[in-house]
Amino acid sequence: MTGRALVVGGGLAGCAAALELARAGHPVRLLAAGPGATAMTGGSLDVAAASPGVPHLPWRDPLRGTALATDGRLGFLLSGASLHPYTRLHGAGGRDELVAAARDAVDRLRSWLAPSQLGVEGDLGTNRLLPTAQGTLRITDHALSGPAEADLTGSSRVLIAEAPGVEGWDARGCARTLIHEIEALGLGPLPVEVVALRRPLSRGAQTAARVAARLDGPDGDRILTEALHGIGTAGEVVLLPQVVGLRRTRERLRGLATGGRRVGEVIAFPPHALAGYRLQCALDAALAAAEVEVIRARAGQVRVDGERYRVDPAAGQSFPVQEADALVLATGRFVGGGLVAGPEGVREPLLGLPLSDPEGRRVDGIPAHRSVRKGYGNPQPLYSAGVMVDEELRPVAAPGRGLWAAGEWIGGFDPARERTGLGTALITGVAAGRRAAAHLDAGAP
Amino acid sequence: MSGATRARQAQVLLIGGGINGTGIARDLALRGVSVLLVERREIGSGTSWASSGMIHGGLRYLQQDPEVTHHSCLDSGAIQRIAPHLVFRIPFLMPIFADDPIGPELVEVGLEMYDAYQPLKNGRPHTRLTPAQALELEPALSDRLECAFTLDEWGVDAARLCVANALDATGHGARVLTHTEALAPLLSGTGEVVGATVRDTLTGERFDVHADLTLNAAGPWVPQVAEMMGESVIQRPGKGIHLVFERRVSNLAIYAKGVDGRDMFTFPHEQNSMAGTTDDDYYGDLDRIDTTEDEVAYVLQAMERSIPTIRHHRITHTIQGVRPTMYGFGSYEDELSRDYAIIDHGREGQAQGLFTITGGKLAAYRLMAEDAADQLCARLGNREPCRTAELPLPGGEEEADVGALATRHAIGLPAALRLAFRHGSRADEVLAGADPELRPAKLVCACEPVLDTELRHVARTEGLRKLSDCQLRVRLGVGACQGSGCGASAAGVLAEELGWDAERTIHELAELAALRWRAVAPVLEGAQVTAMEVHRSVHFGMIGMSGDLP
Ligand SMILES: Cc1cc2nc3c(=O)[nH]c(=O)nc-3n(C[C@H](O)[C@H](O)[C@H](O)COP(=O)(O)OP(=O)(O)OC[C@H]3O[C@@H](n4cnc5c(N)ncnc54)[C@H](O)[C@@H]3O)c2cc1C
Ligand SMILES: Cc1cc2nc3c(=O)[nH]c(=O)nc-3n(C[C@H](O)[C@H](O)[C@H](O)COP(=O)(O)OP(=O)(O)OC[C@H]3O[C@@H](n4cnc5c(N)ncnc54)[C@H](O)[C@@H]3O)c2cc1C
């Protein structure tokens, strides 16, 4: 008889672990309190995106002056005293092993998202140049459908669509900054222009989400086709805000890519972003397809009884105590709910585990404001701390042998500054799921 | 005389654009005096903005300094007349506990005395409430209370009040230069102060402003500016902080007592509630005043006695400032007089032509300005009377019709209300000024309904120069999102209005984010930790990390 597998956390890390466990043939349950950071992401899936200004993660090739691709940057991440979860996982095998693991994990993700028509474009050896809504360029390795189609690499002209009424979208401002970025990065000549759509996408002033919902309606495809009629020719990229529906984004953008033009979306951030929401929806669909049993509720406390874990409902939640022989915790940081900043200080609510930043500074039990530094651009202990894990991704100081950590819940890195957010969630999630599966296969308990 | 030179000549040079500088600029301009005001940062960004924004009568000065109470009440009435749109009634509730140092009877004697001043400022007389009545009004009050009193005060958006004064001054011919710092005195052959060398801190341009008289109205920087002019003015600088809550904690302002017996309060202020304040000697860097953990603990501990659940409320950030209190020896910081002085350095020191205004309160600014302007005018031989108590401030002419505003300009009622509060009868102008293709107005921020039209208006007509100035000018980035939702949109609007290139736009955004971080970090707790996690991801994801962020 196979043991029971349980995952807590429904972001990319938790879903990846659950889907790997399911693939290995284990019945899995997943507890998720609600959407976390994954659902807020902007459209890039960063394994190790360029992060200018972060000292230990150079983004330009020191010799050639060009932007380093991710496989190169991973080498830097593994060297030195970094406590990034990547080093825990593949420190011994070095860069090549990490690169192989990342490739493999991205392939898994592609297979999960494909039925939802959400693509993951890119690879670790080249940079994608993704314009953001503000006109800055995000240089990264992978992108999700929508922004993926807006990769400026190899394009001959950028046309930024004016979409009056779409909240948070300023085509002229985007163009101004983009021209500057292209020049500063030496990408030119690459002309940038603002174009008017043939018909409006929104009805008056509307949020991006509302416009997207409208474009998901029966007339959506026609509205888009008409709006873009005759705009852009071969080699040109047309940029839209994140409004091209909540579903079938890739299929639609491909449909719009007529005559050699491409149509894509900018990278965007809350409250004007949809990419993360699409990702979360596609992951939820994958869980359903893999017959992962999802309990939409918040876990309270994790107890261990011999080699078996018991997960209680949080106050006010009603589900039977969950028992598990293999448990993956992927509850994220503050946005996810995996860390809590309360009057007694910062804590990890499920097990009360110690939390440390990359320099080994403890932040648990200390009021949040004591774990921040004055300068905004400085490394912030509060936002780079999480649970510490060993090479097996087992939380240090956690009881039992059947427990693994994944995603942002793991400390030692700052996803915002270092730009390795979804990549870490994916790679550690896949790894944790496989380890949990192996544990069960080995006959645990 | 060339145009350029004439632009740098004035009868009076004012140094400092806080409530005193702007109030005096308006007073002088209304009397036909030519005025040039330099403010090294944004209008009101010094102590004025850090104040509780209370146009109160100064109940706490009643014992030591009834003169201050009288001034304040009188001027509170005047401010309500000239800027009715900017002023709002704040009823106070004062709970009395068994272990209070002063019992209810004695408190009531004081309140009865204060009642005598209330008519000066359209205040209602105090009332005494039973515990049940008080708890009905404010259920969050500690039920340990013995009884409670109510009394009436008034609040104002202090930054906006400064801007309104500055606008009226410019409307009457004054020149107001923000981000322009007085650097050194201009001296005549006989050693008189005849103006100052100033520097535009954004362009780096330096120039001389020639003036018959120079007034140092630099608030807590008064001693620094005086020293630069070769004079000495001593203050007893008193630092004060406020905690700003994400939303209103109570309907009424609620009194609380510090462990040392000091009075403090939690009070509704615009969208938020604020709690404060402290009063401690401060001799640190005036340009980098940070709130300390002790101050936060002190305020929260006091508040907790009146509102036991206060710690459950989300604090978004703090504001802090230093009172330009007059020097006095021996007394507790708090008991030092809030009265003011106008110093004629020609008489009391060496520097002919230089004056200083120091001390005072926001609530009494108009009277102080009148006094200062009287003295300067006497020196200039100007006999025009002061008219600041009768003439309305811009927007105070008549009441705005909020419903009509909302309908006419297709904006939501909350946004219309907010504009009517900030711009009074000129709210319509703010909305009508937008180019037709920019209508209807777009929401820039959802924490508080800031419209792009208001941003465009302040950029076009109020001389706004920086994105970070919007914190005060339109209350941008001071809500829950701390600018992560609205910073970029606002930067885009201003880039268009002010012709910023991309580099400048990004710099402005980075600066706003860094400033918000400074305001948030000392009180980072609970839900705001999560909000700032989003803030960092958005910000760093958008404009990249760069090591040289301030
Ligand atoms: C605004 C924003 C934009 C970002 N943009 C990008 C981007 O463009 N590209 C990129 O690569 N990265 C980006 N990141 C970083 C990235 O989102 C995260 O690193 C990543 O999503 C973390 O995934 P996770 O699964 O570990 O955590 P989360 O996605 O936060 O998931 C945590 C899950 O755990 C659940 N949970 C927590 N506690 C409990 C409990 N007690 N019981 C049950 N369930 C629980 C939550 O409900 C949630 O489902 C961004 C982050 C933010 C905040
Ligand atoms: C915590 C706190 C709460 C308060 N609450 C209240 C209240 O509720 N009611 C009330 O009536 N009063 C209150 N006060 C007092 C009131 O805020 C001050 O008395 C008043 O704002 C002082 O105004 P000011 O114009 O003199 O100074 P400021 O507002 O500080 O203005 C001085 C200006 O000079 C500028 N400056 C400095 N150096 C130079 C230079 N070299 N060149 C050009 N410009 C320069 C500064 O940038 C500054 O903007 C409070 C004060 C504090 C600190």
Side-chain angles (χ1 to χ4, degrees), chain A residues 40 52-54 132 134 136 138 168-170 172 176-177 180-181 269-272 333-335 341-342 367-370 372-378 380 382-383 414 416-417 419, chain B residues 290 293 438 442 485 488-489 492 495-496 500 502-503 506 513-514 517 521-526 529-530 532-547 549-550:
Chain A
M40 292 186 133
V54 180
T132 72
Q134 278 65 44
T136 51
R138 197 172 172 99
W169 178 238
D170 169 12
R172 280 174 289 171
R176 260 195 316 273
T177 307
H180 168 79
E181 288 272 290
F269 293 98
H272 311 296
R333 297 245 177 113
F334 299 103
V335 170
H369 68 263
R370 286 204 200 145
V372 295
R373 297 202 176 115
K374 272 189 182 162
Y376 184 54
N378 284 327
Q380 300 293 349
L382 183 68
Y383 291 116
D414 178 344
R417 263 179 107 233
R419 293 183 171 174
Chain B
D290 281 310
E293 189 166 347
L438 297 171
K442 272 190 277 192
S489 309
E496 222 168 77
W500 292 340
E503 211 166 341
I506 290 173
W517 178 252
V523 281
L524 193 55
E525 220 51 88
V529 172
T530 310
M532 293 314 280
E533 189 171 68
V534 174
H535 187 276
R536 294 176 86 250
S537 302
V538 170
H539 191 248
F540 296 160
M542 194 155 65
I543 69 174
M545 225 346 272
S546 97
L549 276 185

Side-chain angles (χ1 to χ4, degrees), chain A residues 195-371:
Chain A
V195 293
L197 291 175
R198 304 281 182 253
R199 62 171 290 183
L201 300 178
S202 71
R203 287 205 183 97
Q206 284 185 320
T207 61
R210 267 197 191 281
V211 178
R214 179 178 183 220
L215 296 180
D216 272 338
D219 291 339
D221 287 0
R222 191 168 49 80
I223 295 174
L224 273 170
T225 310
E226 289 175 13
L228 285 155
H229 180 76
I231 296 177
T233 55
E236 299 184 341
V237 181
V238 185
L239 295 184
L240 295 175
Q242 283 191 3
V243 293
V244 188
L246 296 169
R247 288 173 279 127
R248 295 174 37 242
T249 308
R250 176 169 58 180
E251 183 190 302
R252 282 195 223 196
L253 289 172
R254 289 196 174 157
L256 291 170
T258 49
R261 75 167 177 195
R262 272 185 290 138
V263 180
E265 294 174 332
V266 290
I267 299 266
F269 293 98
H272 311 296
L274 287 182
Y277 185 67
R278 288 181 191 134
L279 172 61
Q280 188 67 59
C281 291
L283 287 170
D284 289 348
L287 292 177
E291 289 176 14
V292 173
E293 191 186 333
V294 178
I295 303 174
R296 304 247 165 242
R298 182 172 297 278
Q301 225 196 337
V302 173
R303 291 170 292 145
V304 63
D305 176 6
E307 285 295 309
R308 174 159 294 181
Y309 295 91
R310 289 180 211 284
V311 179
D312 297 329
Q317 308 277 306
S318 57
F319 58 84
V321 173
Q322 297 294 306
E323 300 203 338
D325 304 299
L327 176 63
V328 176
L329 296 181
T331 49
R333 297 245 177 113
F334 299 103
V335 170
L339 308 186
V340 179
E344 326 77 38
V346 174
R347 63 195 175 84
E348 187 287 300
L350 295 181
L351 283 151
L353 292 176
L355 304 168
S356 340
D357 83 342
E359 281 148 51
R361 199 177 286 99
R362 291 277 294 270
V363 310
D364 54 300
I366 300 172
H369 68 263
R370 286 204 200 145
S371 297

Side-chain angles (χ1 to χ4, degrees), chain B residues 14-22 38-56 61 72 162 180-183 216-222 224-225 228 238-242 265 277-278 287 319-324 338 357-364 368:
Chain B
L14 292 173
I15 300 172
I19 193 61
N20 282 327
T22 56
V38 290
E39 161 54 52
R40 64 197 276 265
R41 294 188 302 198
E42 154 70 344
I43 296 294
S45 65
T47 310
S48 299
W49 167 68
S51 77
S52 312
M54 248 176 267
I55 300 295
H56 56 57
Y61 312 120
S72 303
C162 294
T180 304
E181 179 177 25
L183 286 182
N216 171 6
W221 291 266
V222 151
Q224 282 180 23
V225 171
M228 168 185 103
K239 179 185 177 194
I241 69 138
H242 286 96
F265 17 81
T277 172
T278 57
D287 296 325
I319 54 178
Q320 50 279 317
V322 171
R323 300 171 181 83
R338 291 303 190 281
I357 182 161
T358 178
K361 307 169 42 53
L362 185 77
M368 292 164 60

